[in-house]
Amino acid sequence: MKHRILFLLLSYLLLSNQLIHSIPGIIPQPKEVTSGKGVFELTKFITIIYQDERQAENAEYLYDELKKEYGFSLLINQKNRPQNGSIFLKENPTIPEEGYKLTVDKKQIICEASTPTGMFYAIQSFLQSIISEDKSYFILCMNVEDAPRYPWRGMMLDVARHFHNKETVMNLLDAMARLKMNRFHWHLTDEDGWRIEIKKYPKLTQEGAVGNWSDRMAYPKYFSQQDVKEIVEYARLRHITVIPEIDMPGHASAASRAYPEISAGGEGRWAGFTFHPAKESTYRFLEDVLTEVAELFPGPYIHIGGDEVHFGNQVWFTDPQIQKFIKDKQLGDESGLEHYFLRRVSDIVKNLGKTTVGWDEMIASGIPSHQAVIMWWRHDKREQLEKALSQGFNVVMTPRIPCYLDFVQDNTQKIGRRWGTDFNSLFTVYKFPKPVESIISAYPDQIMGMQASVWTERMAGTKRLYYMIFPRLVAISENAWSADKVKNYDSFMKRLKNFLLYLDRKGINYFNPFDVNSTPEPWGPTKKDVIAEG
């Protein structure tokens, strides 16, 4: 049996003309891969050895993953040197912060990094490289040297439109970790629901968490502060920073239902859409909320939204108190008031020791560029990307085309968004950011990275949520990590098959681009929205 497996592995290597494309399974594509001779066999007698105490958590993580996925219960030791039959976590201060080296020979595996984060990514490449055959497990001998293209490699999950529970979030964090993604942007509040407990304002969850996008009277669902702490810690162990989003001044309908005295929204469909921008009590409320949020999320960022205010600010044009406020503050008009609001809230965020993150409408607000990160989302407004960069902002790219995963991924799919005839196929996603290379190439130090954004209006159930996320999230992970010179779509598709096996082991649903009929589109709410598609 072992001779047959070795023959298959060696044959697999010989089939590829390009060595870099012959290493199975590693996603994102590493910077440099060279092949050795033979294989390392994984058995229950292998020892995990870590050199420095700060790698102890990584050693425990590796132990847990090998036990969950393959049934191994390995020994863990702290020593300065590797030994035959070991996986050695070695400190190497010459390697970049998130970079790593992975060396596999017939006798041992050495993971090298200068930081625990880099070591964690070496472990992911090791786990992805395991080949199983008849309950035997092997890794091809090889040398990998790697480091990411961008520091921000993220995914945004909207739990306001439809709630998705703690288990689902943790499953997504596991998949992100396997893909070396490191930013989880958590969209916690919007029109349809307020999903985070704020102890000073209990009605935010008692009343604001009632309902969802498809059922206005659905039972209230939200994350307790204890839930949040558990998720943040789970993410930390996977080297993922969680960025909470409390959307304002628009998209505030859920908060308005709970506390109408701080609301000044629009009319009809847009009633309660915005916070009241001319009341000091509004800013005290938001400072209280953001203070609790800042205590729950130790990362450096708080996202305050700032988008689409014009949808539901009709009352601003007629309310006497608001009009007087505009005049007294010499704000000029309602847009000036919107920008005033954003500046004040950004100062609250700054005083809490955090950096503001906002959607690309925030560029015009007058917030200093060193005080905010801009998320460019309007793909049809490339001038917003150029403006943000030319004004000195750091930018995260998440344009609707191709980074919004609520857009359909195949022409046969019936539920989901399109932009005219355009949608986000796996290939369309993979070729990003090439379409904007001429813009971003002039500002290499200001491009923080990119993220997938998952809006859940039509994703009420977990099965559909996963189906819309995977495998496109895999493509975005490679876009954010791998340099253009090593990206190759044919190679990606070969390696993707290995990641789909990982999803199978995790019980995570996905769209299968290799056999579309094998993964039919799950049901999703199809309620018609007032806003035109796109």
Side-chain angles (χ1 to χ4, degrees):
M1 175 60 67
K2 186 177 292 187
H3 293 298
R4 187 173 69 85
I5 295 168
L6 288 171
F7 174 77
L8 288 171
L9 293 174
L10 292 171
S11 297
Y12 180 87
L13 279 174
L14 292 171
L15 284 173
S16 176
N17 291 325
Q18 289 183 285
L19 186 58
I20 195 168
H21 297 151
S22 69
I23 301 301
I26 299 182
I27 294 178
Q29 176 66 50
K31 288 177 69 173
E32 185 177 342
V33 180
T34 55
S35 178
K37 294 181 179 180
V39 298
F40 178 91
E41 183 179 1
L42 286 168
T43 72
K44 62 183 179 180
F45 303 109
I46 288 168
T47 302
I48 298 170
I49 301 175
Y50 62 97
Q51 190 174 36
D52 188 272
E53 184 60 36
R54 66 184 189 143
Q55 300 294 353
E57 284 185 347
N58 277 329
E60 292 288 344
Y61 171 87
L62 177 56
Y63 172 92
D64 289 342
E65 292 301 293
L66 289 172
K67 186 173 183 179
K68 281 189 296 187
E69 293 192 41
Y70 302 103
F72 292 136
S73 293
L74 305 184
L75 292 175
I76 302 178
N77 288 319
Q78 183 177 2
K79 294 181 180 179
N80 280 325
R81 298 187 179 190
Q83 63 189 40
N84 288 345
S86 69
I87 305 166
F88 183 48
L89 309 187
K90 179 183 178 182
E91 295 277 319
N92 184 338
T94 67
I95 296 175
E97 183 178 354
E98 290 191 295
Y100 68 90
K101 291 183 180 179
L102 174 64
T103 304
V104 182
D105 64 32
K106 295 177 183 179
K107 295 181 179 180
Q108 62 193 10
I109 294 172
I110 299 177
C111 301
E112 297 178 67
S114 63
T115 65
T117 299
M119 189 67 72
F120 186 79
Y121 297 146
I123 289 169
Q124 302 313 312
S125 289
F126 158 65
L127 291 170
Q128 289 180 336
S129 300
I130 297 172
I131 300 168
S132 62
E133 177 86 13
D134 294 336
K135 297 185 178 180
S136 294
Y137 304 97
F138 299 87
I139 297 181
L140 299 175
C141 291
M142 60 181 170
N143 295 289
V144 180
E145 293 193 27
D146 202 7
R149 177 183 189 177
Y150 292 126
W152 188 299
R153 306 176 299 279
M155 185 189 77
M156 186 281 292
L157 178 65
D158 164 23
V159 294
R161 273 51 180 267
H162 284 106
F163 183 82
H164 294 277
N165 64 20
K166 183 166 62 175
E167 179 185 2
T168 300
V169 171
M170 288 178 170
N171 279 337
L172 291 172
L173 291 170
D174 282 338
M176 288 176 64
R178 189 57 55 95
L179 294 167
K180 307 184 182 80
M181 303 183 82
N182 65 350
R183 299 287 186 269
F184 179 61
H185 170 187
W186 206 2
H187 188 84
L188 289 161
T189 72
D190 214 296
E191 296 174 74
D192 303 295
W194 185 284
R195 307 299 184 195
I196 181 171
E197 178 189 18
I198 302 297
K199 292 186 182 295
K200 192 165 185 176
Y201 298 101
K203 288 194 291 184
L204 285 171
T205 45
Q206 291 168 359
E207 299 178 26
V210 174
N212 57 46
W213 186 79
S214 57
D215 181 359
R216 184 64 226 98
M217 300 309 296
Y219 189 80
K221 292 183 178 181
Y222 63 92
F223 294 93
S224 70
Q225 292 200 359
Q226 183 57 38
D227 291 332
V228 170
K229 291 174 182 176
E230 291 174 16
I231 287 169
V232 168
E233 174 62 9
Y234 195 83
R236 185 195 69 80
L237 291 170
R238 286 150 183 78
H239 298 265
I240 296 171
T241 299
V242 184
I243 299 98
E245 181 177 358
I246 309 297
D247 212 341
M248 61 183 84
H251 293 282
S253 310
S256 296
R257 291 196 298 274
Y259 295 96
E261 63 270 22
I262 57 168
S263 170
E267 301 166 346
R269 155 77 169 82
W270 305 108
F273 185 74
T274 70
F275 289 109
H276 199 296
K279 286 183 177 180
E280 284 303 309
S281 57
T282 300
Y283 298 101
R284 287 195 296 272
F285 169 87
L286 291 171
E287 184 170 11
D288 291 340
V289 168
L290 293 175
T291 297
E292 289 196 33
V293 168
E295 291 171 352
L296 289 167
F297 295 89
Y301 306 105
I302 292 178
H303 200 304
I304 64 170
D307 63 317
E308 299 178 329
V309 179
H310 66 282
F311 284 168
N313 69 344
Q314 293 87 348
V315 169
W316 293 16
F317 292 82
T318 57
D319 182 274
Q321 183 180 4
I322 291 176
Q323 288 299 309
K324 183 176 185 301
F325 191 85
I326 291 173
K327 183 177 180 181
D328 289 348
K329 296 287 186 181
Q330 298 181 332
L331 300 175
D333 57 17
E334 291 72 25
S335 291
L337 175 59
E338 176 185 330
H339 300 154
Y340 168 88
F341 178 100
L342 292 171
R343 289 194 300 273
R344 279 203 60 175
V345 174
S346 182
D347 284 342
I348 292 170
V349 173
K350 179 183 177 183
N351 290 336
L352 291 169
K354 307 289 188 179
T355 297
T356 298
V357 185
W359 301 108
D360 63 44
E361 288 94 329
M362 192 180 289
I363 297 167
S365 67
I367 296 173
S369 60
H370 65 268
Q371 195 172 313
V373 171
I374 298 298
M375 287 191 165
W376 173 58
W377 69 278
R378 291 180 288 178
H379 74 282
D380 56 321
K381 295 184 184 296
R382 292 191 180 186
E383 68 273 14
Q384 289 297 98
L385 175 60
E386 292 184 272
K387 278 183 188 176
L389 293 168
S390 66
Q391 291 179 24
F393 286 100
N394 288 334
V395 173
V396 175
M397 300 181 292
T398 180
R400 284 171 293 204
I401 304 290
C403 294
Y404 274 26
L405 302 190
D406 55 329
F407 280 70
V408 300
Q409 56 199 314
D410 185 82
N411 215 16
T412 63
Q413 292 169 1
K414 305 298 182 185
I415 305 168
R417 295 168 68 189
R418 297 171 187 254
W419 186 270
T421 58
D422 291 340
F423 55 90
N424 291 335
S425 69
L426 184 61
F427 178 75
T428 301
V429 174
Y430 190 80
K431 67 183 180 181
F432 191 74
K434 268 293 185 187
V436 293
E437 190 64 40
S438 61
I439 299 173
I440 65 176
S441 60
Y443 304 92
D445 296 333
Q446 291 172 235
I447 300 297
M448 296 184 73
M450 66 185 70
Q451 72 175 31
S453 290
V454 184
W455 302 103
T456 59
E457 285 91 337
R458 293 174 177 85
M459 301 181 208
T462 304
K463 186 175 182 180
R464 179 166 177 81
L465 177 77
Y466 291 153
Y467 177 87
M468 296 301 284
I469 292 174
F470 298 106
R472 290 181 293 182
L473 186 70
V474 187
I476 286 178
S477 77
E478 183 144 310
N479 296 346
W481 180 282
S482 304
D484 281 338
K485 65 182 180 181
V486 300
K487 283 179 62 180
N488 178 285
Y489 188 67
D490 291 337
S491 161
F492 170 77
M493 293 300 285
K494 291 175 183 176
R495 289 176 286 118
L496 177 61
K497 291 179 179 179
N498 192 62
F499 192 80
L500 297 185
L501 294 176
Y502 165 79
L503 295 177
D504 287 335
R505 293 195 299 271
K506 292 276 290 183
I508 291 176
N509 191 42
Y510 55 85
F511 169 73
N512 188 345
F514 303 102
D515 184 0
V516 174
N517 293 329
S518 69
T519 53
E521 182 180 17
W523 174 87
T526 55
K527 181 186 84 170
K528 198 171 183 65
D529 201 352
V530 173
I531 306 174
E533 290 307 315

